[in-house]
Amino acid sequence: MKLLIIEDEDSLLRSIIDYFTQEDFLCEAASTYQEGMQKATDFQYDCIILDINLPGGSGLQLLEYLRKHKNADGVIIISARNSLDDKIAGLDLGADDYLTKPFHLTELYSRVKALLRRKYASSSNVIEFGQLKLDLLLKTVSYSGQSLLLTKNEYELLLFLLTNKNRVVSRQAIAEHIYGEQTDNLASFDFVYSHIKNLKRKLKEKGGDDFCKQYTAWAINYQYD
Ligand code: CA
């Protein structure tokens, strides 16, 4: 899962990143309005944690811009402003949640998890696709009741495909989802292909041939071979 944290208060930014990195999130940061806008429009995130008072502009304006341009990333506003008007404005502009500073990181984590659950798995923590089940909380995957042992990258790849199953995703988008900003340092995106191959092999070992055929139908929507 990929997060963008837009926050200019350095110590808070660092502690959010440290906390979520420990929970296996891929975290990217922006500390100004401009930088936040750039990242939010160039990349796709599962959730954006957004401060309101930012150097260069307001988080509310940023949110308004994103929603106007059909950006559907989950957004949680974090703000020192505890006024009802701000909360209502944020939620009306399309924020998914609003948390007043100071807050405990455990609470932010719960809110992020709840948002991801609503976004991807409706009432439970489990995303289902045919016989395939992926548990967002336990980070486990099973096919037809048998558990699949996936590497972290294979898990992230599968999750990305499942949450984008009706969209065409490029190899670069997959690479960015798995490696984030480090993608710039990669010589090629060929590793995406080997992750897909390994994932398919593991599914087939559990009897997921049919799934792989279906899966190929949407997985091959990527622009390669
Ligand atoms: Ca601020």
Side-chain angles (χ1 to χ4, degrees):
M1 288 284 177
K2 199 169 162 191
L3 293 185
L4 173 62
I5 303 119
I6 309 177
E7 167 64 64
D8 62 316
E9 206 180 300
D10 199 48
S11 59
L12 178 59
L13 179 65
R14 292 282 9 137
S15 55
I16 295 174
I17 290 176
D18 289 347
Y19 187 94
F20 280 90
T21 304
Q22 274 189 0
E23 297 294 338
D24 277 341
F25 283 78
L26 184 66
C27 297
E28 290 183 11
S31 50
T32 64
Y33 175 87
Q34 204 51 42
E35 197 188 350
M37 180 69 96
Q38 190 77 46
K39 288 192 174 168
T41 49
D42 285 356
F43 303 103
Q44 192 193 336
Y45 297 93
D46 297 294
C47 178
I48 298 175
I49 295 168
L50 178 65
D51 182 26
I52 292 187
N53 285 319
L54 291 164
S58 151
L60 292 176
Q61 283 173 311
L62 201 157
L63 173 63
E64 190 174 19
Y65 179 90
L66 292 180
R67 293 306 191 227
K68 261 191 191 150
H69 291 79
K70 307 285 175 226
N71 177 308
D73 294 347
V75 172
I76 298 178
I77 292 178
I78 49 172
S79 174
R81 304 204 283 208
N82 190 19
S83 83
L84 188 59
D85 284 349
D86 278 336
K87 277 187 192 168
I88 289 171
L91 295 171
D92 279 352
L93 287 172
D96 297 275
D97 207 344
Y98 191 109
L99 194 55
T100 306
K101 294 176 190 174
F103 51 79
H104 288 284
L105 288 169
T106 46
E107 182 173 7
L108 179 61
Y109 181 46
S110 293
R111 305 269 189 129
V112 169
K113 281 190 296 186
L115 185 155
L116 297 174
R117 209 160 47 223
R118 288 196 300 273
K119 195 171 170 194
Y120 298 132
S122 60
S123 61
S124 70
N125 292 306
V126 179
I127 299 178
E128 292 189 45
F129 187 80
Q131 298 286 309
L132 185 87
K133 287 192 176 143
L134 183 147
D135 190 313
L136 288 171
L137 212 56
L138 301 174
K139 301 192 181 80
T140 55
V141 177
S142 69
Y143 186 82
S144 193
Q146 308 171 75
S147 59
L148 252 68
L149 287 176
L150 301 184
T151 64
K152 187 172 178 291
N153 286 340
E154 288 160 4
Y155 173 88
E156 286 297 332
L157 167 68
L158 180 63
L159 181 59
F160 187 63
L161 295 176
L162 288 172
T163 52
N164 283 282
K165 63 187 176 211
N166 298 316
R167 300 169 62 179
V168 174
V169 288
S170 69
R171 214 163 11 161
Q172 181 170 355
I174 295 174
E176 276 164 9
H177 185 79
I178 298 177
Y179 287 105
E181 288 169 317
Q182 291 165 28
T183 311
D184 292 345
N185 303 325
L186 299 170
S188 83
F189 302 133
D190 288 348
F191 68 90
V192 170
Y193 184 72
S194 45
H195 288 329
I196 293 200
K197 234 171 53 185
N198 291 337
L199 190 55
K200 279 185 172 176
R201 178 177 50 75
K202 290 181 180 180
L203 278 161
K204 284 183 179 170
E205 280 169 7
K206 304 292 179 195
D209 283 332
D210 284 348
F211 177 84
C212 284
K213 277 180 206 140
Q214 255 181 310
Y215 166 88
T216 309
W218 45 266
I220 269 319
N221 285 328
Y222 336 109
Q223 297 140 8
Y224 70 95
D225 74 25

